[in-house]
Amino acid sequence: KSFVQGLAPVPLVVDPQEMNRIVEQFPLDEKYALADDLDTEYRRIERVIGEVENKLKELQPFAGIPFAVDKIRKLKTLRAFFGVMPRQNFVRLGQDSAIPSTAAWEEVVPVGAQSEKNAGDSLWLLGACLPENEEDFRKALLANGFEDIALPQIEGTVAEQIKALEGDFDELQQRVKNIAAKVESLATNRHEFLILKAFWDDCRKLAVSRTNCAQGKWVQVIAGYLREK
């Protein structure tokens, strides 16, 4: 509808025979079941799309991690640390006597980044040590401005997980388009839907009017308005 049509809707004029035919023969239950199924499926897909978008948002900051994060979590004989540290402090770690001799660390260069272009104020650090040196190594790292970052609970690399989620997102979007196409097919029956709605609205108004009437055993009084012509 246009804006003007919305302000001044045209009354629905229907032939009585057409209305009776639609009320008696139109497969409303079938159309309703289809519309209800489409609505349920759309809401479910919309919820899953939101979950996928949230996961992608959470993983995006870790997209450049070059290693499979689940392998770090599965280490048994070592204690691993991953986080961010000021670059100037990282350079001085080798001279820190508080760091256990069994500890090792390295800068994690994001995938696709070149070392000369990765010279920001901070960097990713991956460190490891023996279990018995975990507390001393952690204190030494924290003293040098290290901030621990919890790795995502995923299998494989973050980039692989993001790619899989993006594939899921594209598939879900296509399913939404398929639902939209089926909904558009229902629009071909818009005329019948309007007639049925008007019919039921009239039935409801008639039922309400009956409750507002003064009625006795032989007489029923109705008050209202009629068009002059």
Side-chain angles (χ1 to χ4, degrees), residues 17 20 169 227:
Q17 292 182 349
N20 290 335
F169 182 82
R227 294 182 181 177

Side-chain angles (χ1 to χ4, degrees), residues 12-27:
L12 186 64
V13 180
V14 183
D15 180 85
Q17 292 182 349
E18 180 187 13
M19 184 179 70
N20 290 335
R21 177 182 59 80
I22 291 175
V23 170
E24 293 175 2
Q25 300 179 11
F26 186 76

Side-chain angles (χ1 to χ4, degrees), residues 102-174:
T102 58
W105 61 92
E106 64 177 21
E107 176 185 357
V108 177
V109 179
V111 174
Q114 306 200 3
S115 12
E116 61 265 26
K117 294 182 179 179
N118 194 42
D121 293 335
S122 61
L123 52 79
W124 279 340
L125 176 144
L126 178 64
C129 67
L130 295 175
E132 57 267 28
N133 300 131
E134 178 181 0
E135 193 61 30
D136 291 338
F137 190 30
R138 182 185 298 278
K139 288 180 179 178
L141 289 175
L142 293 175
N144 282 279
F146 175 78
E147 294 180 20
D148 188 62
I149 297 177
L151 290 170
Q153 300 292 315
I154 61 172
E155 299 293 323
T157 67
V158 176
E160 291 170 346
Q161 186 69 14
I162 288 177
K163 185 177 180 180
L165 287 171
E166 289 175 341
D168 293 342
F169 182 82
D170 291 342
E171 180 184 347
L172 291 167
Q173 291 288 3
Q174 184 57 51

Side-chain angles (χ1 to χ4, degrees), residues 32-226:
Y32 175 81
L34 174 59
D36 187 56
D37 289 344
L38 291 174
D39 179 67
T40 301
E41 179 68 6
Y42 174 77
R43 292 178 185 277
R44 190 186 71 80
I45 293 175
E46 191 177 43
R47 183 172 61 253
V48 177
I49 286 177
E51 293 172 357
V52 170
E53 287 178 329
N54 288 335
K55 289 179 181 177
L56 285 170
K57 188 176 180 181
E58 292 172 1
L59 291 177
Q60 204 58 50
F62 306 102
I65 295 179
F67 52 82
V69 295
D70 57 309
K71 292 183 178 180
I72 299 299
R73 293 198 312 270
K74 293 175 181 177
L75 289 174
K76 301 297 183 183
T77 59
L78 294 174
R79 294 293 181 267
F81 298 84
F82 178 79
V84 65
M85 169 178 283
R87 182 172 295 276
Q88 60 181 9
N89 294 4
F90 176 81
V91 176
R92 297 197 296 263
L93 281 180
Q95 287 78 46
D96 191 336
S97 59
I99 294 180
S101 58
T102 58
W105 61 92
E106 64 177 21
E107 176 185 357
V108 177
V109 179
V111 174
Q114 306 200 3
S115 12
E116 61 265 26
K117 294 182 179 179
N118 194 42
D121 293 335
S122 61
L123 52 79
W124 279 340
L125 176 144
L126 178 64
C129 67
L130 295 175
E132 57 267 28
N133 300 131
E134 178 181 0
E135 193 61 30
D136 291 338
F137 190 30
R138 182 185 298 278
K139 288 180 179 178
L141 289 175
L142 293 175
N144 282 279
F146 175 78
E147 294 180 20
D148 188 62
I149 297 177
L151 290 170
Q153 300 292 315
I154 61 172
E155 299 293 323
T157 67
V158 176
E160 291 170 346
Q161 186 69 14
I162 288 177
K163 185 177 180 180
L165 287 171
E166 289 175 341
D168 293 342
F169 182 82
D170 291 342
E171 180 184 347
L172 291 167
Q173 291 288 3
Q174 184 57 51
R175 290 170 64 181
V176 168
K177 290 180 181 179
N178 294 340
I179 291 175
K182 293 179 181 178
V183 170
E184 287 178 4
S185 70
L186 289 174
T188 58
N189 299 118
R190 183 174 183 274
H191 180 66
E192 288 83 353
F193 292 145
L194 289 174
I195 290 175
L196 289 172
K197 182 178 183 299
F199 172 76
W200 290 323
D201 283 345
D202 286 345
C203 291
R204 179 181 58 80
K205 290 176 183 177
L206 181 60
V208 172
S209 297
R210 284 173 177 166
T211 62
N212 296 330
C213 293
Q215 51 187 326
K217 184 176 182 181
W218 305 106
V219 179
Q220 184 176 46
V221 180
I222 300 175
Y225 296 92
L226 290 174

